[in-house]
Amino acid sequence: MNLYEDLKWRGLIGQYAGEGFIDELNKGGLTFYLGIDPTGKSIHAGNFLTVMGVMRLSRAGHKPIILVGGATGMIGDPSGKSQERNLLDKETTMNNSSSILAQVKKLLPEAEFVNNYDWTSNMDVITYLRDYGKHLTIGYMMAKESVKKRLEAGLSYTEFSYQVLQALDYYHLYKNHNVRLQVGGQDQWGNITSGFELIRKMEGEKANVYCLTFPLLLKPDGTKFGKTAGGAVWLDPSMTSEYKFYQFWLNTSDEEVIDRLKQFTFLSKEEVDQIEALWAVNKEGRLAQRRLAEEVTKIIHGEEGLSKAESITKAVFSGDVSALSKDEIADAFKDDVVVEVEGDVSIIEALVKTGLAQSNSDARKLIQGGGVSVNSVKINDFTKVLHKEEAIDSTYTFIKKGKKNHALIKHF
């Protein structure tokens, strides 16, 4: 299977443009770039799908350049947004740029890294308007979906000019780094083709350049994963722990898991087909989900991060968190229900406070039915008191209801 066929099988071909693109893609040797705007200090699962596409192209013999948008990040891309972004100041943008560069360098150490602030920040407005702005007509720019969708809600000239700045990036890299392909998420098609158009206008119709988009990772409600859209799963472990990251992939639905294995792992077609065949026989065993979680966590957090995530997962699933350190418990449950209490608390009150029970009588029924455990020990006495000194490290008490519902009491 050649590169194009592999990307197609994995569902990673969105749109592309440029005569002879498929032959050039399969041949290898293209210098290409991906732009990432530093609107946050970390990339997320949605960005990672595109980064995985870049990694695949690099492994196939193409040369990657990663552009961090120090300039465009301060302008704000209207693509996929219902309202204008809050503009970031220079210090925040540059700090975010440094963090993102460090993340991507771990995944693509072979890549060249550039920042469009370097060639955009000193450009005077006359040069910008005369040399670049004149080549993209108002009609052409307004035909872009990212613009049309925002006209009714309101679109500032600042955002409207974003696609010119991104087009300028492609032209600059074409002239100075021999870049002939720009890649990005499907929502970037309008911006990417503006760069394609600018190069052809300035260099002539025979300029040998290409565009390629990868599909977007969508949330269950059909909206994309984003830094500001909510629900993001971050690659920075200080923002999404290794455990939470692992759990995100482990909880992939049956309908999506095989597609995710194709897109987010480097497993071959033969390996994916084998996993799918075994998983189909016993979907409750969640073999495909476990393999997906293992592979992706290993790519992002390494063997050590995967081991940490798996040990916490095992402890939480069994209800025996006593083997975990206080820091591991805090890490595992920082996004879950954690209720702080002063000193001791009754099991009834704890169940109600954490929302595991709706009322005192509901809590008693749960306990009498054998559905509650505390630090892996079944509780059948609804007069039990959770003592601070009996908590893990005199700090945490883990309460579990049934197989999947749990909460944490933090004693102070």
Side-chain angles (χ1 to χ4, degrees), residues 340-345 388 410-412:
E340 294 188 351
V341 300
E342 184 175 0
D344 306 334
V345 63
K388 175 178 167 64
K410 183 178 182 180
H411 304 264
F412 65 93

Side-chain angles (χ1 to χ4, degrees), residues 249-250 252-254 257-258 261 265 267 272 275-276 278-280 282-283 285-295:
W249 302 102
L250 189 63
T252 302
S253 69
D254 288 345
V257 66
I258 300 303
L261 275 169
T265 78
L267 297 174
V272 172
I275 292 168
E276 184 175 12
L278 292 171
W279 167 76
N282 177 26
K283 291 187 177 181
R286 300 183 68 75
L287 169 66
Q289 282 89 347
R290 283 189 284 110
R291 188 61 185 275
L292 173 65
E294 290 167 8
E295 293 292 327

Side-chain angles (χ1 to χ4, degrees), residues 19-286:
E19 186 176 349
F21 169 70
I22 294 177
D23 289 338
E24 288 282 352
L25 184 71
N26 290 329
K27 190 191 307 180
L30 280 175
T31 301
F32 71 101
Y33 92 96
L34 167 71
I36 302 175
D37 274 350
T39 50
K41 72 173 188 176
S42 172
I43 61 177
H44 52 74
N47 301 134
F48 180 51
L49 179 58
T50 305
V51 172
M52 280 292 289
V54 172
M55 293 168 75
R56 293 183 199 283
L57 295 185
S58 179
R59 291 185 175 204
H62 299 288
K63 179 186 175 183
I65 293 178
I66 303 298
L67 179 151
V68 177
T72 45
M74 286 192 281
I75 299 302
D77 182 4
S79 302
K81 298 295 177 185
S82 58
Q83 58 186 14
E84 188 165 1
R85 299 173 187 264
N86 292 323
L87 297 181
L88 301 179
D89 58 41
K90 180 181 176 181
E91 182 180 3
T92 301
T93 304
M94 294 308 164
N95 287 339
N96 289 348
S97 297
S98 297
S99 297
I100 287 173
L101 278 174
Q103 283 185 330
V104 181
K105 279 180 179 178
K106 290 180 181 179
L107 299 171
L108 285 157
E110 71 276 18
E112 182 179 352
F113 295 86
V114 297
N115 191 323
N116 62 16
Y117 186 85
D118 295 339
W119 59 82
T120 304
S121 60
N122 293 323
M123 183 181 296
D124 63 87
V125 68
I126 295 175
T127 300
Y128 167 75
L129 293 173
R130 284 179 58 88
D131 293 357
Y132 304 105
K134 71 174 183 177
H135 292 292
L136 298 177
T137 68
I138 293 294
Y140 176 83
M141 294 173 69
M142 289 187 67
K144 303 294 185 182
E145 284 299 312
S146 59
V147 172
K148 287 196 295 185
K149 290 182 178 180
R150 284 287 305 281
L151 287 178
E152 288 188 14
L155 181 72
S156 70
Y157 176 74
T158 298
E159 285 186 302
F160 184 61
S161 67
Y162 182 93
Q163 63 179 288
V164 180
L165 290 175
Q166 186 165 323
L168 194 160
D169 289 341
Y170 196 176
Y171 179 76
H172 175 89
L173 294 177
Y174 170 79
K175 293 292 288 183
N176 295 280
H177 296 264
N178 194 34
V179 168
R180 295 198 294 122
L181 168 65
Q182 182 182 177
V183 302
Q186 184 63 46
D187 60 335
Q188 289 298 304
W189 180 248
N191 293 327
I192 291 174
T193 51
S194 292
F196 178 86
E197 181 74 7
L198 179 63
I199 292 171
R200 289 162 64 88
K201 286 283 184 67
M202 297 186 72
E203 299 295 316
E205 288 291 319
K206 293 185 179 180
N208 203 13
V209 290
Y210 308 100
C211 307
L212 171 66
T213 61
F214 302 112
L216 300 177
L217 177 64
L218 301 178
K219 295 187 286 187
D221 63 3
T223 60
K224 74 172 186 175
F225 278 80
K227 300 182 184 75
T228 56
V233 176
W234 306 97
L235 273 59
D236 184 336
S238 71
M239 299 171 70
T240 298
S241 70
E242 293 95 333
Y243 165 70
K244 287 295 182 183
F245 186 82
Y246 178 88
Q247 286 295 314
F248 170 75
W249 302 102
L250 189 63
N251 289 322
T252 302
S253 69
D254 288 345
E255 292 74 22
E256 296 176 317
V257 66
I258 300 303
D259 287 339
R260 297 292 180 252
L261 275 169
K262 294 175 182 179
Q263 295 172 330
F264 285 96
T265 78
F266 292 108
L267 297 174
S268 67
K269 184 179 186 304
E270 292 72 25
E271 289 173 308
V272 172
D273 287 346
Q274 184 180 27
I275 292 168
E276 184 175 12
L278 292 171
W279 167 76
V281 175
N282 177 26
K283 291 187 177 181
E284 290 185 2
R286 300 183 68 75

Side-chain angles (χ1 to χ4, degrees), residues 347-385:
I347 184 61
I348 295 292
E349 185 179 356
L351 286 168
V352 174
K353 277 182 176 291
T354 57
L356 293 175
Q358 299 301 310
S359 63
N360 289 356
S361 60
D362 183 33
R364 291 190 183 91
K365 288 177 183 177
L366 287 172
I367 295 169
Q368 289 172 336
V372 177
S373 63
V374 172
N375 292 342
S376 78
V377 178
K378 284 277 187 185
I379 299 299
N380 51 31
D381 178 9
F382 52 75
T383 66
K384 180 175 177 58
V385 175

